[in-house]
Amino acid sequence: MLIFQTLYPALKGEACEKKKVRFRVPRFIFNFGYEFKLDVGFSENEAIYTFRGDRGILTVTFLMEGRSLTVTASWAGFGEVLMGKPLENFARGIAEAVKEFCSAKACPVLKSEESGGEVENITPETAPALIKHFALELGKDFSLEGTADDGTYLSVRVENGNLKEIRVREGMRESAIETNVPVVEIEGELFEGLPLNKRFRIKAKKS
């Protein structure tokens, strides 16, 4: 069994249906796409994801030690002797994705409830973290609606893990941005120039 462990960053998911997962990783098992059955186990500080396929077993472990997260990836099966560098890239990619999602902890939510919260001073820097925060709570399909004291209206739509639309209406002026960016890859450039620097009452709805 080959193992690679990292504290830092891609798993390119193609599909996930119930407990079956299909994905490709560059140079991982010769870049073939495989389908795996997924089992997940948890303990106090650890989560273990086991992917069982026809060609072998891939195990990904997340271990929290204080404020540090260790990601360990191991492969047992076909092409095992060739898996050193691909496993390294795989583990680093997962760790980087986790790091991106953890940036959601810096989002400007002042008062959070199950269906939304109050948000103050949304900026291009904090808006991506806000959407990632709700993605952690609501999953891959959801929408956000926000209203400020001056009547400014904000809406965000996410489908299948991708940001599809941002819409802001301030008085008679309305800005609409259509895109198809994975939530984990959202950057502040999308929000430049939008009138968001105010307090919003946010409502979230899972699709």
Side-chain angles (χ1 to χ4, degrees), residues 33-75:
Y34 288 98
E35 183 174 277
F36 297 87
K37 291 183 179 179
L38 172 62
D39 294 308
V40 184
F42 297 96
S43 62
E44 183 177 355
N45 298 314
E46 188 177 46
I48 302 174
Y49 291 75
T50 304
F51 302 84
R52 303 179 189 276
D54 294 338
R55 297 297 186 96
I57 299 174
L58 172 66
T59 304
V60 181
T61 302
F62 300 86
L63 176 64
M64 287 298 302
E65 296 177 303
R67 296 177 60 85
S68 298
L69 172 67
T70 299
V71 179
T72 302
S74 64
W75 170 258

Side-chain angles (χ1 to χ4, degrees), residues 13-122:
E14 290 187 342
C16 181
E17 181 178 355
K18 295 182 179 180
K19 289 191 175 182
K20 291 186 178 180
V21 181
R22 295 185 300 276
F23 55 78
R24 294 174 183 268
V25 178
R27 297 196 304 168
F28 180 65
I29 319 180
F30 309 110
N31 202 28
F32 291 163
Y34 288 98
E35 183 174 277
F36 297 87
K37 291 183 179 179
L38 172 62
D39 294 308
V40 184
F42 297 96
S43 62
E44 183 177 355
N45 298 314
E46 188 177 46
I48 302 174
Y49 291 75
T50 304
F51 302 84
R52 303 179 189 276
D54 294 338
R55 297 297 186 96
I57 299 174
L58 172 66
T59 304
V60 181
T61 302
F62 300 86
L63 176 64
M64 287 298 302
E65 296 177 303
R67 296 177 60 85
S68 298
L69 172 67
T70 299
V71 179
T72 302
S74 64
W75 170 258
F78 174 74
E80 188 172 310
V81 296
L82 304 174
M83 291 297 294
K85 190 64 175 180
L87 271 178
E88 176 181 348
N89 294 335
F90 186 82
R92 288 188 183 278
I94 295 174
E96 182 64 24
V98 172
K99 182 179 178 181
E100 287 292 326
F101 266 108
C102 285
S103 68
K105 297 302 181 183
C107 78
V109 175
L110 299 182
K111 180 181 178 183
S112 183
E113 302 172 355
E114 183 177 354
S115 59
E118 292 184 358
V119 183
E120 186 174 25
N121 297 331
I122 303 175

